Amino acid sequence: AQKITQTQPGMFVQEKEAVTLDCTYDTSDPSYGLFWYKQPSSGEMIFLIYQGSYDQQNATEGRYSLNFQKARKSANLVISASQLGDSAMYFCAMRDSGGSNYKLTFGKGTLLTVNP
Amino acid sequence: DGGITQSPKYLFRKEGQNVTLSCEQNLNHDAMYWYRQDPGQGLRLIYYSQIVNDFQKGDIAEGYSVSREKKESFPLTVTSAQKNPTAFYLCASSINRHNSPLHFGNGTRLTVT
């Protein structure tokens, strides 16, 4: 069974600084994908970034990058130059190859607060 | 614009009543999903469907039912058998490909009293 762990219930960061949100995962499948989502207080889920288990390089999307350490089974999200609008819940999720199963399993999330 | 529409945004029901949450997508995605979110919890999978006329139980399917008669629609019924139905419900869809992200609707907040 796959499992996602986000150990930081809440994080604070000053505007314009970088912040790292932790995510560790557990799977015995060699083929899997890791996703990060942002959920503002409005409730919508916004896809941020994807990392495949066979990708050679860490994924980046604008101010978002993924620090992927396969041996440690961690996929931490790094947000650079934090903005007030980055304040939200952040969820890490995983999909393994599981046959033809395409469902995502989510962690419990980290609430990020960006201070001015 | 393509997207996923969940309706209504807020729903109130009396205990003992069944209630159906609507989810429609025009993204031409094969797969659709229902997740439940409670305060302090992540998203937990209720049901998912990878093709029309087929669906699978997720981790917390008890007290819920779904149908997938059309590719665009995946309604969720919260039955009276669900012991704690008050929650935020999110519908999502995706392409059946392992690197494909889920696209989410804006959610329905159900309150049962």
Side-chain angles (χ1 to χ4, degrees):
Chain A
Q2 52 178 259
K3 181 179 176 182
I4 298 286
T5 303
Q6 295 180 253
T7 58
Q8 308 154 314
M11 287 284 285
F12 294 88
V13 66
Q14 284 298 121
E15 194 177 7
K16 300 181 184 177
E17 293 185 350
V19 62
T20 298
L21 306 183
D22 294 343
C23 173
T24 58
Y25 58 91
D26 183 25
T27 181
S28 56
D29 198 319
S31 176
Y32 53 89
L34 297 154
F35 301 78
W36 276 91
Y37 282 84
K38 172 184 178 181
Q39 187 181 42
S41 58
S42 56
E44 61 189 299
M45 292 285 287
I46 302 168
F47 167 66
L48 297 176
I49 196 167
Y50 166 81
Q51 179 82 46
S53 60
Y54 293 119
D55 292 345
Q56 295 297 311
Q57 294 188 329
N58 287 344
T60 60
E61 285 289 346
R63 294 187 298 110
Y64 303 109
S65 61
L66 211 150
N67 183 1
F68 182 47
Q69 298 186 49
K70 195 170 181 177
R72 299 179 64 181
K73 293 188 175 180
S74 73
N76 299 337
L77 177 71
V78 180
I79 305 175
S80 63
S82 296
Q83 301 171 357
L84 296 178
D86 293 336
S87 293
M89 281 290 289
Y90 288 82
F91 291 98
C92 179
M94 181 172 69
R95 174 190 283 144
D96 66 17
S97 65
S100 59
N101 188 332
Y102 295 96
K103 63 181 182 179
L104 286 189
T105 298
F106 286 80
K108 292 189 176 183
T110 296
L111 179 61
L112 176 66
T113 302
V114 181
N115 294 317
Chain B
D1 288 337
I4 299 178
T5 302
Q6 288 188 245
S7 60
K9 187 172 183 178
Y10 298 96
L11 194 52
F12 298 88
R13 280 295 183 272
K14 294 289 187 186
E15 194 173 326
Q17 293 179 337
N18 291 356
V19 59
T20 297
L21 281 59
S22 169
C23 179
E24 303 279 332
Q25 56 104 355
N26 60 4
L27 298 168
N28 200 33
H29 287 169
D30 285 313
M32 297 188 73
Y33 311 80
W34 275 104
Y35 285 87
R36 169 181 173 142
Q37 185 177 20
D38 297 282
Q41 300 283 332
L43 278 65
R44 293 183 289 167
L45 183 64
I46 305 172
Y47 269 98
Y48 63 102
S49 166
Q50 294 180 185
I51 55 172
V52 175
N53 293 321
D54 186 49
F55 49 83
Q56 306 293 329
K57 292 183 179 179
D59 301 317
I60 55 166
E62 186 175 351
Y64 299 97
S65 66
V66 293
S67 63
R68 186 85 188 278
E69 298 176 1
K70 299 186 301 180
K71 188 175 186 178
E72 302 78 21
S73 179
F74 191 41
L76 173 74
T77 297
V78 184
T79 75
S80 56
Q82 168 52 232
K83 295 180 181 178
N84 296 297
T86 294
F88 188 53
Y89 291 88
L90 284 158
C91 178
S93 70
S94 75
I95 299 169
N96 278 336
R97 199 173 64 211
H98 287 295
N99 63 350
S100 174
L102 266 58
H103 298 259
F104 283 86
N106 288 334
T108 292
R109 192 167 298 279
L110 173 65
T111 302
V112 177
T113 57

